Amino acid sequence: MEKALRDVLAHLRERWLRSSPNEGHREPREEARVPPESQPLRDLPMNVQLHILALLSPRDLCQLASVDHYWNSVARDPLLWRYLLLRDLPRWHSVDHLSLPDAALLSNSLTDMAEYDFMAGYLRSCPEGRKHWKPSHPVYSSVSSFLQSLMPQTEPRFAMLGPGLEQLDTSLVTKMMNSPSLLPMAGLPQRQVDGIGSGISFFFNKEHTFTILTLYSTTWKERECARIEANATMNKLFVPEEIAAEERGDGGSGTPYSLIPQVQQVCRVVDGFIYVANAETRTKHNRKEEFLQIRAMIDPALGPASRPLLVLCCVSQPGLQQIPCVHMSHQLQLSLLNVPWLAQDCDAETLAGFLEGIEWILRELGRL
């Protein structure tokens, strides 16, 4: 039965495509119409129709919506697209500041979201759809890119920090330094911040170089002692401010954290930020503290306010239960940040997703 119903949909779709002007000719209108007796799917109850449509891919549904007015209304059913949105969210490996679905879509009832276009929301949010709706470059972009290529440019530098650098069983930085086939090193590590950080240069696509300044919350010795003794360590990158935000009269827009002077110097010279979040479900997280620390790191007082932020939602290795990047974005309240950002799934063992994140942040800087 299911195969027969799928064949009916395929027949309708093929018939519509044959009658479309894109094929170079249009058959007579009388022949292009499908007689009512050849459309048994319409005679089924609506809930059965929606169940069948839920078996189709979003691409097929978009094509089905172009068949006629009836299938356009059915294929746009909000209940159907809400189901697809909730079903596919955990499968998406990246989401950015332009495509993050509203948190209300994940929690509110359908009646509370009656005016929301779930179909448009899905197509805007899914990674495949983002490739098509991103704004194209203006005509003069090729000329400006050529002029920029004639000017000497320093390699972009990124400050990388976050609990994912220290809490995971597999060291992301160690894998980065020992994966020449994926990420060739362009220079030896150089110490930048006494005891808690160093700079490493890499090649992207064997031609673009970039430098990552890794910043750890404590020294290596302190981290090892804490791991052996199973104790928590104090984050030395951030200093709690003595005056609460509401007492400063800034309406709560300030942050109760500030960076130590050495890290402030790093943030003033970098072109962007990479925050490595621990996305493993087996670990307890304080996302509120992480958000406050991210906001202190991208403080516009330390540099340009538009510098991009790459958030790596990282786990130790493939197969571990992982918090999807969409949910991580809401937990970290990334939508409250006034900078372009991308949340990208990543695992430290294979570096899956890492290069995709680097490609995004380099494109944001106009280096690709």
Side-chain angles (χ1 to χ4, degrees):
M1 178 65 178
E2 178 178 322
K3 182 178 184 302
L5 293 173
R6 283 180 174 270
D7 291 341
V8 171
L9 290 177
H11 170 74
L12 291 173
R13 193 161 57 245
E14 292 174 2
R15 181 123 184 173
W16 174 78
L17 290 174
R18 286 199 305 268
S19 64
S20 66
N22 294 333
E23 297 296 325
H25 69 281
R26 181 186 292 273
E27 297 191 12
R29 184 176 299 273
E30 292 76 9
E31 297 181 8
R33 293 175 179 171
V34 181
E37 59 272 13
S38 65
Q39 302 183 39
L41 187 57
R42 292 193 182 186
D43 298 331
L44 295 174
M46 179 56 64
N47 61 332
V48 177
Q49 294 186 28
L50 293 178
H51 176 74
I52 296 170
L53 296 186
L55 302 175
L56 301 180
S57 68
R59 181 186 295 273
D60 290 335
L61 287 175
C62 292
Q63 293 178 344
L64 180 63
S66 303
V67 172
D68 56 28
H69 178 73
Y70 175 81
W71 289 117
N72 181 276
S73 60
V74 174
R76 289 179 175 273
D77 185 88
L79 183 62
L80 173 63
W81 282 97
R82 178 182 169 89
Y83 161 76
L84 294 175
L85 187 64
L86 297 179
R87 183 198 68 182
D88 293 345
L89 278 178
R91 307 177 186 177
W92 296 341
H93 296 298
S94 66
V95 66
D96 63 14
H97 60 290
L98 299 174
S99 62
L100 179 66
D102 195 318
L105 300 181
L106 312 180
S107 56
N108 290 5
S109 64
L110 186 62
T111 55
D112 295 333
M113 305 294 296
E115 302 299 325
Y116 187 82
D117 189 343
F118 285 93
M119 180 179 180
Y122 182 102
L123 298 178
R124 182 180 67 251
S125 302
C126 69
E128 183 179 0
R130 298 203 316 257
K131 298 177 183 178
H132 300 285
W133 62 257
K134 283 186 176 180
S136 58
H137 296 287
V139 177
Y140 58 81
S141 62
S142 58
V143 178
S144 61
S145 299
F146 172 74
L147 295 177
Q148 291 178 359
S149 66
L150 300 179
M151 302 173 59
Q153 292 184 340
T154 59
E155 63 184 32
R157 291 167 292 187
F158 308 114
M160 183 168 72
L161 70 162
L165 289 179
E166 309 174 32
Q167 298 175 355
L168 302 180
D169 295 336
T170 303
S171 171
L172 177 64
V173 176
T174 300
K175 284 296 181 178
M176 290 164 50
M177 296 175 59
N178 293 276
S179 303
S181 59
L182 292 176
L183 200 62
M185 292 180 58
L188 297 176
Q190 298 178 353
R191 190 160 300 281
Q192 301 289 336
V193 183
D194 293 340
I196 57 175
S198 61
I200 313 172
S201 295
F202 297 96
F203 282 112
F204 180 78
N205 284 347
K206 300 181 180 180
E207 55 177 330
H208 304 283
T209 60
F210 63 95
T211 297
I212 290 181
L213 306 175
T214 57
L215 302 173
Y216 294 97
S217 63
T218 58
T219 64
W220 179 85
K221 185 176 181 179
E222 290 171 328
R223 294 195 304 273
E224 285 300 305
C225 291
R227 184 178 293 112
I228 295 174
E229 300 174 2
N231 293 329
T233 59
M234 179 179 178
N235 194 324
K236 295 185 177 181
L237 300 180
F238 300 91
V239 179
E241 294 186 359
E242 297 180 357
I243 304 177
E246 56 271 15
E247 295 179 356
R248 293 197 301 264
D250 57 7
S253 61
T255 173
Y257 287 100
S258 61
L259 299 169
I260 62 175
Q262 301 97 311
V263 178
Q264 289 186 19
Q265 294 177 7
V266 172
C267 291
R268 288 191 176 97
V269 300
V270 297
D271 303 289
F273 303 92
I274 302 176
Y275 185 81
V276 185
N278 185 341
E280 296 181 353
T281 58
R282 60 182 180 178
T283 307
K284 293 184 179 180
H285 311 283
N286 190 336
R287 301 303 187 194
K288 182 178 180 180
E289 291 295 310
E290 292 185 58
F291 166 73
L292 295 175
Q293 293 172 0
I294 291 175
R295 196 166 62 175
M297 179 182 65
I298 64 173
D299 189 347
L302 302 177
S306 59
R307 289 181 292 182
L309 167 68
L310 169 63
V311 178
L312 296 177
C313 308
C314 203
V315 295
S316 300
Q317 56 194 19
L320 291 179
Q321 192 170 3
Q322 181 174 10
I323 303 173
C325 62
V326 174
H327 296 305
M328 284 287 294
S329 301
H330 287 300
Q331 291 179 13
L332 292 172
Q333 304 179 73
L334 298 182
S335 60
L336 300 181
L337 303 178
N338 295 321
V339 298
W341 58 264
L342 172 79
Q344 173 72 50
D345 286 342
C346 177
D347 74 77
E349 180 67 33
T350 65
L351 296 183
F354 181 80
L355 292 182
E356 288 83 350
I358 294 298
E359 180 180 7
W360 173 85
I361 199 169
L362 290 176
R363 288 191 183 280
E364 283 293 315
L365 294 174
R367 301 303 180 94
L368 293 181

